[in-house]
Amino acid sequence: MDEKRCTFGILRFGRRRVLRFGCESCGEGGDPGLSGRCMEGLLRGLMEYAEVEEVQFPGAYEREYAGRELEGMRKLALLLSDWELRSLMKVCRGCGRCEGERRGLLAFLSLRLSRSPLEAWEELGGRLRELEAASRRGSTRCRECRSSFLSEFLRPMRDSLAGVRGEVLQGGRLPGPRLRPSFMFSRLRMDPPPGSELVEGYGLEGGEVRIYRCPRTSQFLYFLLPRECFLPPAVVRLMYEVREALCREPLPLEGGFEFLRGRIRRLAARRMAEEAGRRGWEMGKEEIDRLAESLSRFTAGLGVLELLLSDERVQDVYLDAPPGETPLHLYHQDFEECLTNVYPSEEEAEVLVSRLRALSGRPFSEADPVLEAELGGVRVTAIGPPLSPEGKAFSFRRHRSSPWTLPQFVRAGFLDASTASLLSLLADAQASLLLTGTRGSGKTSLLTSLLFELPPKFRILLLEDTAELPSGSLRSLGFKVQTLRTRSPLGRAEVEPSAEEALRAALRLGESVLVVGEVRGPEARTLFEAMRVGAAGNCVMGTIHGASAEEVFKRVVHDLGVQPSSFAAVDAVVASAPIRPLGGLRRRRRVVQVAEVVKGREGEFRELVRYEVEGDRFVLGEVKSSGLLRSLAKRWGMGFRALLSHWRLRESLLSKLVRTSLREGRADLLEAEFVFRSNQRFRLLWEEEVREGDPRPERVGERWERWLRESLR
């Protein structure tokens, strides 16, 4: 070779052996996909160190081969080694006059393979055709010699390259490296898999999302393109230098997550402005602010994870162990379980754990291998060895920026207007409700929506171990809310009180609506006994794991040790579930049952609403024989028929609100603020009718519709 060979060395990062190239002063850019010299360096490095788990090309944009991409390059390196070995063998079986020429051909093909496998394929095909034509000419001895060269060298080389080409060079191109700007820890695959089909694309504030269907895995790929991956290399280097300078300075954590983010954002903006001015760059304030925001995200925030969690259509994000080898996967509102093109590194996992420990004040070690924390509106659960023997793993659940409402659920098909208005009626009447379902069935979101149906005159006590219920949104609308935080059932830290201790305290805080985030342990006996004797206040609402009302009864009575007579204090059980129609891959969430507890009959329920998968419809059950509704009618001092008319009025107004939102393109009409205003207007109009002594639903409906029309102006 007339060019200087690539330099490289072996480094260890935790359990990984990394082949790292010295690209800083090379000038080739460290990209095997664009530079033949870089490709040759990569293959020769893998010929020498085939057992490495990762290959890195440093630079402003660091490129990395690992996992499936590295395995493909390793196969090419083995093939190159085989070809070069053949060029050293005796290749002429005749007089020997063609020995030098043929060895030169093999060396030439090997060089082509090392720099461009596709060009090597084309070149080898052309030489084969030439020699096959020549093998039919000349003396018998020459024909036999050429035939031997073809059968023992060129054809096996073609077959071996064809196998690697079909497996590695899918779609006619080499596997692309994972890429990251030097100030970022996560690596990203920047090319979608061959054969994938683009389904949808949309923008985020910090980048772009493309959704691909991948037939090979029967999954969707959530393909993230962060804005930071398209910055000029000089800007990336500047951001790296500023980040390194910021990391050398001690930054206080006492002010919390947002306090730290804000300080870093301001310091980064100042340093970048200084450096840009010193280097004579023309950078406007808007650009500097945007880059400073990026640096705060990758210094004190969650990095690329933050972009994923800023997507309103993403609910959960997961990183399975071992970090660096597995991509993030997530749950998407429309495409459900999706793989991503994001590969967080082991270093990123370590930084994240350190940040969680510092901000939460909770331990995380082999003695305490579970850590739960709230980080910038995201609930994070981390696990580590020995619970997770392959390394650290994480679960991220984003809190919806605006809480769910019943009209939004109706629009989404989670329930129909009749069922939603029944639940609104039960909440307004302070009925005690248990919301049940499996994980991800929507029970907590449904509980959230019912809170906005409560009369705001009542104080609400929110009892939960993780902040999922919208206390801030409720307060902003004028609700009186007191939050009680309990100890997580997973952690060993004794900082917070147990759920039972917090519940006993709540029962002494006076008349309130008691909302329990999840009923799961010994506190259940205290809760149900308080409900039985009327010490729990106006009403109780909470969630519990289970598939149906009957299953909830069995769990509460047999597993949690609650007396059946105490369970009878519950008025109704609302069950939700994810449904897979006809066994397909796509799921839809539905309220599958609203069942009242039949008083005086242990473990017996009466279905008020049931969901039928066939036809995707909600069917009313034994409403006329409902003891619960008759009890509510008596409590409100009205006849049973009048209560049913009141229910139908709520259904009519809710349906009208949803239709108006769709017709006017006004999604805000279904948000919590407007739904609260709508409910308040309805209560005011009904109260005026009550004062007149003869409330008429049709008159209330007309006046409410007039108010809605005026609100649209």
Side-chain angles (χ1 to χ4, degrees):
M1 292 177 58
D2 58 347
E3 296 174 334
K4 187 177 179 181
R5 294 281 297 270
C6 287
T7 60
F8 49 77
I10 299 294
L11 304 176
R12 290 191 75 88
F13 293 95
R15 298 177 303 164
R16 292 172 297 147
R17 292 165 296 183
V18 177
L19 177 65
R20 187 172 178 88
F21 283 81
C23 302
E24 288 83 354
S25 58
C26 171
E28 289 288 325
D31 188 352
L34 299 176
S35 167
R37 181 180 171 188
C38 293
M39 170 62 74
E40 182 180 7
L42 170 59
L43 296 183
R44 295 198 181 280
L46 288 174
M47 287 168 62
E48 190 169 344
Y49 297 103
E51 295 78 17
V52 296
E53 287 83 21
E54 189 174 306
V55 174
Q56 293 179 357
F57 289 88
Y61 285 98
E62 184 164 293
R63 291 168 171 82
E64 169 200 282
Y65 287 91
R68 187 168 61 87
E69 297 85 2
L70 177 58
E71 190 57 35
M73 304 310 289
R74 203 185 331 260
K75 289 179 179 179
L76 279 173
L78 291 173
L79 184 62
L80 175 60
S81 178
D82 175 72
W83 281 25
E84 291 189 339
L85 182 64
R86 289 176 182 274
S87 70
L88 301 175
M89 297 167 58
K90 180 174 175 60
V91 294
C92 186
R93 296 291 185 265
C95 62
R97 287 181 301 174
C98 299
E99 184 77 24
E101 178 185 347
R102 291 178 182 175
R103 283 193 179 185
L105 173 60
L106 294 182
F108 173 73
L109 291 173
S110 298
L111 180 61
R112 278 295 178 90
L113 177 65
S114 71
R115 299 199 164 191
S116 175
L118 291 175
E119 290 183 10
W121 171 260
E122 295 173 359
E123 184 70 34
L124 178 56
R127 295 303 180 102
L128 264 171
R129 288 189 293 273
E130 291 177 9
L131 280 171
E132 284 171 346
S135 66
R136 294 189 287 270
R137 302 191 300 269
S139 66
T140 301
R141 189 177 181 185
C142 286
R143 289 199 301 271
E144 291 176 351
C145 182
R146 292 184 186 120
S147 178
S148 174
F149 181 58
L150 286 168
S151 61
E152 295 180 23
F153 289 88
L154 294 191
R155 286 181 184 137
M157 290 167 63
R158 177 196 61 190
D159 294 342
S160 61
L161 180 54
V164 174
R165 177 173 178 262
E167 185 176 348
V168 178
L169 306 178
Q170 295 182 20
R173 54 188 171 86
L174 286 163
R178 302 170 191 172
L179 178 143
R180 73 174 183 95
S182 53
F183 58 84
M184 183 189 296
F185 282 121
S186 290
R187 278 79 168 173
L188 293 97
R189 288 184 59 188
M190 299 302 290
D191 298 310
S196 55
E197 173 193 354
L198 180 63
V199 177
E200 186 180 343
Y202 56 92
L204 297 176
E205 186 176 348
E208 180 184 351
V209 174
R210 297 174 187 171
I211 306 293
Y212 290 92
R213 181 184 285 109
C214 302
R216 187 177 66 86
T217 60
S218 299
Q219 291 191 69
F220 288 98
L221 173 66
Y222 184 100
F223 198 79
L224 180 68
L225 295 170
R227 183 174 55 211
E228 289 83 4
C229 289
F230 300 94
L231 294 171
V235 174
V236 173
R237 291 190 189 94
L238 172 62
M239 293 180 71
Y240 173 77
E241 293 168 7
V242 172
R243 183 185 183 280
E244 290 298 294
L246 291 174
C247 290
R248 287 192 292 269
E249 297 182 4
L251 292 167
L253 295 171
E254 291 78 6
F257 180 72
E258 289 303 324
F259 178 84
L260 179 62
R261 284 283 298 269
R263 183 167 185 201
I264 287 180
R265 188 186 307 116
R266 291 187 291 273
L267 288 173
R270 182 177 181 84
R271 284 183 178 271
M272 279 192 288
E274 289 175 353
E275 282 298 313
R278 188 177 64 81
R279 301 178 191 192
W281 293 0
E282 293 184 3
M283 294 179 71
K285 184 178 183 304
E286 184 178 334
E287 183 180 1
I288 288 176
D289 288 342
R290 188 169 61 248
L291 296 177
E293 176 62 33
S294 290
L295 268 185
S296 72
R297 183 188 309 132
F298 288 101
T299 304
L302 298 177
V304 175
L305 272 164
E306 240 176 77
L307 289 183
L308 298 176
L309 294 165
S310 72
D311 187 346
E312 290 285 340
R313 298 160 76 177
V314 170
Q315 178 177 322
D316 296 289
V317 180
Y318 307 99
L319 172 59
D320 296 332
E325 298 181 26
T326 57
L328 291 172
H329 55 106
L330 54 82
Y331 189 89
H332 192 277
Q333 170 185 303
D334 301 318
F335 300 98
E336 300 183 351
E337 289 84 359
C338 298
L339 292 173
T340 76
N341 62 325
V342 181
Y343 291 77
S345 64
E346 202 167 328
E347 298 91 332
E348 187 161 16
E350 292 291 342
V351 169
L352 182 57
V353 163
S354 298
R355 190 167 300 138
L356 290 174
R357 268 195 302 237
L359 292 172
S360 69
R362 294 172 176 170
F364 185 74
S365 62
E366 289 195 0
D368 292 282
V370 179
L371 174 60
E372 289 190 314
E374 292 287 323
L375 194 59
V378 177
R379 179 175 128 198
V380 186
T381 302
I383 60 173
L387 179 62
S388 173
E390 294 180 293
K392 297 174 180 64
F394 300 86
S395 168
F396 305 85
R397 166 158 284 197
R398 63 177 292 275
H399 301 316
R400 201 168 183 266
S401 57
S402 57
W404 279 99
T405 65
L406 285 178
Q408 287 175 327
F409 276 135
V410 171
R411 180 176 179 177
F414 183 61
L415 38 59
D416 65 351
S418 176
T419 306
S421 56
L422 172 61
L423 297 182
S424 172
L425 175 64
L426 294 178
D428 196 352
Q430 291 89 61
S432 292
L433 304 174
L434 278 182
L435 282 67
T436 187
T438 58
R439 175 176 169 81
S441 62
K443 58 184 181 296
T444 302
S445 298
L446 181 58
L447 174 61
T448 293
S449 70
L450 293 182
L451 298 181
F452 294 97
E453 304 299 316
L454 293 169
K457 68 177 183 177
F458 297 122
R459 181 174 64 161
I460 302 174
L461 300 180
L462 299 180
L463 191 76
E464 53 183 342
D465 54 34
T466 55
E468 292 188 283
L469 299 175
S471 56
S473 297
L474 289 165
R475 288 193 190 98
S476 69
L477 295 175
F479 284 90
K480 300 179 287 291
V481 181
Q482 173 62 53
T483 299
L484 292 90
R485 188 61 50 80
T486 67
R487 186 187 312 148
S488 167
L490 295 177
R492 300 186 186 182
E494 302 291 331
V495 178
E496 300 94 348
S498 68
E500 187 172 10
E501 292 168 337
L503 178 58
R504 291 186 183 279
L507 295 175
R508 289 170 171 78
L509 290 178
E511 192 79 359
S512 305
V513 174
L514 181 58
V515 181
V516 183
E518 184 172 346
V519 180
R520 57 157 67 92
E523 76 280 1
R525 290 190 293 273
T526 303
L527 174 64
F528 283 94
E529 178 61 20
M531 292 168 64
R532 186 182 72 83
V533 300
N538 288 308
C539 73
V540 174
M541 291 194 291
T543 68
I544 186 169
H545 280 282
S548 65
E550 292 78 7
E551 188 173 309
V552 167
F553 175 80
K554 291 176 183 177
R555 184 179 177 211
V556 169
V557 172
H558 300 302
D559 297 345
L560 301 181
V562 174
Q563 292 295 320
S565 58
S566 296
F567 183 86
V570 175
D571 290 315
V573 178
V574 183
S576 55
I579 306 294
R580 288 175 56 188
L582 302 177
L585 294 177
R586 301 297 295 274
R587 297 186 301 180
R588 58 191 182 204
R589 293 183 177 89
R590 295 292 186 267
V591 169
V592 295
Q593 181 188 50
V594 179
E596 70 171 90
V597 178
V598 178
K599 308 300 182 183
R601 298 181 183 177
E602 182 180 313
E604 188 171 328
F605 298 88
R606 179 181 292 111
E607 275 196 336
L608 302 180
V609 179
R610 71 177 183 276
Y611 172 73
E612 293 184 352
V613 177
E614 186 177 353
D616 188 23
R617 63 188 186 129
F618 301 87
V619 180
L620 288 180
E622 306 171 51
V623 171
K624 292 184 179 180
S625 57
S626 169
L628 173 59
L629 294 181
R630 292 185 183 277
S631 172
L632 295 183
K634 185 177 179 180
R635 189 185 305 173
W636 277 0
M638 62 171 60
F640 184 66
R641 289 180 179 273
L643 183 73
L644 295 182
S645 297
H646 189 86
W647 176 5
R648 287 193 292 270
L649 172 61
R650 287 174 179 263
E651 177 185 354
S652 172
L653 302 189
L654 194 154
S655 298
K656 178 73 173 179
L657 183 60
V658 173
R659 288 196 302 271
T660 302
S661 169
L662 292 171
R663 185 185 67 244
E664 301 291 332
R666 292 279 303 275
D668 61 297
L669 299 183
L670 308 185
E671 295 286 349
E673 181 179 355
F674 194 87
V675 169
F676 173 74
R677 288 172 53 201
S678 171
N679 289 341
Q680 287 298 92
R681 174 58 59 173
F682 169 73
R683 288 192 182 97
L684 177 62
L685 295 174
W686 187 265
E687 184 65 23
E688 291 176 358
E689 290 285 319
V690 169
R691 282 200 298 267
E692 293 178 7
D694 183 23
R696 296 187 179 181
E698 64 276 6
R699 196 157 55 201
V700 172
E702 290 172 1
R703 295 175 65 188
W704 181 89
E705 289 186 28
R706 191 180 312 124
W707 168 83
L708 178 61
R709 288 193 297 271
E710 292 171 355
S711 299
L712 296 177
R713 296 172 185 168

